[in-house]
Amino acid sequence: MEERYHNFDHSRQNTEIQQPIQPKKKRRTILWVMLVLLLLIGVSGFAYFYGSYQARKDFYQTGDDVAYPADSVYVDGWASPADYANWKDAVFTIPQYDDIPVSFKRGIVKIFMDNDYLNKESSEIYFFTKIKDRAYRVIAYGNFTGQGEREMAFLLESADYESSAIFIIPQKGNVLYWKKLPGELPTIKSFKKGDLIYMDKTELVPAPVDGIIRQTKSSKYVLIYNQQTKTFSEYYQYTNEDINNIREERSAEEEEVPDSTDAE
C-alpha cells in the first residue's frame, strides 16, 4: 500500500508540471511587441510630418540661403535653384537683406536676370542700396492687393545714383507693379487697412487695403491698390502746411466774391 501511494503521488506531480502555463506568457510577449511596433510607427510618422512642416516653414518664413525644398511645381516668377545660387550674392550684397524670405529672393533674382541688371555693360542698371541704414527703408511687406497673400514692395537705385524704381511682387515673384522714379531716391514703408490717409480730397479716410508710403524730403505719396481699375494708384498726402494754405486760399476766394446786395 505504501509503495502504491508513492507511485500515485509521483504521477500527480508530473501532471501538475505539464499544465499549460506557456500560452499566457506568449500572449503577453506578443502584446508588448505590438505596442513597441505601434510606438515606433507613431514616432516615425511624427518625425516625418514634423520634418516636412519645418522645411516648409523655413522656406517661406526665413531667409535661409543654404537649404530649401525642391520645387513641387514650376514657378514662372522664380529663378531656378541653380541661377539663384549663382546670382544671389551679387543681388543681395549686404547682410541687411538676409531676412528677406527665399521665395521673394528668388523672384527678385529673376527680375534682375530678365532685365539684365547684372550686366555691367547694360544701358540700364538697377541695384539694391548698399547703405546699411537705408536698406531697411527700401523694403515693405503687406497684403497690398487684398487677396490674403503676403506681398513685397522694394526700391532699386539707378546707376546714376539720383533715380530709382519701385516694384511690388507676391511670393511667387511675378511683378504686380513697376514704376520708374526719375530724379527721386525715396524711402518706403507699409501701412495697414483702416489707417487714415488722403485719397483725392483733403479729408482723411480709412484705407481700403494695406498700402505703401513713398516719401522724400519734400513730398509724401501713398500707393494703394484700386479694386475698380485692378492696378495701383498714387495719392498725394497733404501736410499741415498744405491744409492751412488750402484753407487760406478758399477763404480769400470767398472774400473776393461780390455780395449781390451791393448791386441793388
Side-chain angles (χ1 to χ4, degrees):
M1 292 293 295
E2 184 178 354
E3 183 177 355
R4 189 179 305 148
Y5 171 78
H6 286 299
N7 287 342
F8 174 78
D9 183 65
H10 183 70
S11 289
R12 188 179 65 179
Q13 288 180 355
N14 288 341
T15 302
E16 290 177 354
I17 293 173
Q18 293 176 2
Q19 287 180 355
I21 60 174
Q22 293 300 323
K24 291 183 180 180
K25 292 184 178 180
K26 285 185 177 181
R27 284 198 297 270
R28 284 198 296 268
T29 302
I30 293 172
L31 180 60
W32 278 110
V33 170
M34 290 178 65
L35 289 174
V36 171
L37 288 175
L38 288 173
L39 181 61
L40 289 174
I41 292 172
V43 170
S44 301
F46 174 81
Y48 173 80
F49 287 111
Y50 180 79
S52 300
Y53 162 77
Q54 193 64 38
R56 291 194 301 271
K57 181 180 177 182
D58 291 342
F59 179 58
Y60 287 107
Q61 297 183 4
T62 69
D64 181 14
D65 291 332
V66 179
Y68 47 85
D71 298 337
S72 58
V73 294
Y74 177 71
V75 179
D76 183 58
W78 285 354
S80 69
D83 286 335
Y84 172 68
N86 186 50
W87 293 111
K88 61 184 176 66
D89 291 336
V91 174
F92 308 103
T93 55
I94 56 177
Q96 279 66 27
Y97 302 121
D98 289 349
D99 291 336
I100 299 174
V102 175
S103 54
F104 287 120
K105 280 187 172 182
R106 288 180 66 177
I108 293 169
V109 168
K110 190 171 192 303
I111 289 171
F112 272 66
M113 294 175 62
D114 290 348
N115 291 280
D116 211 22
Y117 292 161
L118 296 165
N119 183 1
K120 294 182 179 180
E121 298 179 358
S122 174
S123 59
E124 195 170 56
I125 295 178
Y126 285 90
F127 51 85
F128 276 105
T129 181
K130 296 177 178 62
I131 302 173
K132 294 180 179 180
D133 291 341
R134 178 174 165 80
Y136 296 113
R137 296 175 175 86
V138 299
I139 294 171
Y141 299 96
N143 178 21
F144 301 126
T145 60
Q147 299 180 41
E149 296 181 0
R150 193 183 189 197
E151 294 153 341
M152 176 184 180
F154 60 92
L155 290 170
L156 298 179
E157 294 184 4
S158 172
D160 64 7
Y161 293 96
E162 296 179 353
S163 305
S164 56
I166 186 170
F167 292 80
I168 301 175
I169 62 173
Q171 291 198 69
K172 290 186 178 180
N174 302 301
V175 177
L176 301 175
Y177 178 84
W178 170 74
K179 183 182 179 181
K180 291 183 180 180
L181 304 172
E184 185 177 337
L185 289 172
T187 59
I188 59 173
K189 63 180 179 179
S190 61
F191 61 87
K192 294 296 184 182
K193 177 181 178 180
D195 288 352
L196 297 178
I197 61 172
Y198 292 106
M199 295 179 67
D200 294 325
K201 300 180 180 180
T202 56
E203 298 176 0
L204 290 169
V205 295
V209 290
D210 296 354
I212 302 144
I213 296 175
R214 192 183 87 234
Q215 186 170 4
T216 64
K217 291 181 180 179
S218 58
S219 65
K220 181 190 293 186
Y221 289 86
V222 298
L223 190 61
I224 195 163
Y225 188 69
N226 189 316
Q227 297 288 351
Q228 283 70 43
T229 62
K230 305 302 179 185
T231 187
F232 287 84
S233 300
E234 283 186 353
Y235 298 95
Y236 177 74
Q237 298 303 287
Y238 299 99
T239 63
N240 291 333
E241 184 179 356
D242 292 331
I243 298 296
N244 290 333
N245 290 337
I246 291 171
R247 288 174 180 172
E248 290 176 1
E249 290 176 1
R250 288 176 180 173
S251 297
E253 290 175 357
E254 290 174 358
E255 290 177 359
E256 291 177 0
V257 175
D259 191 345
S260 59
T261 58
D262 293 341
E264 295 179 356

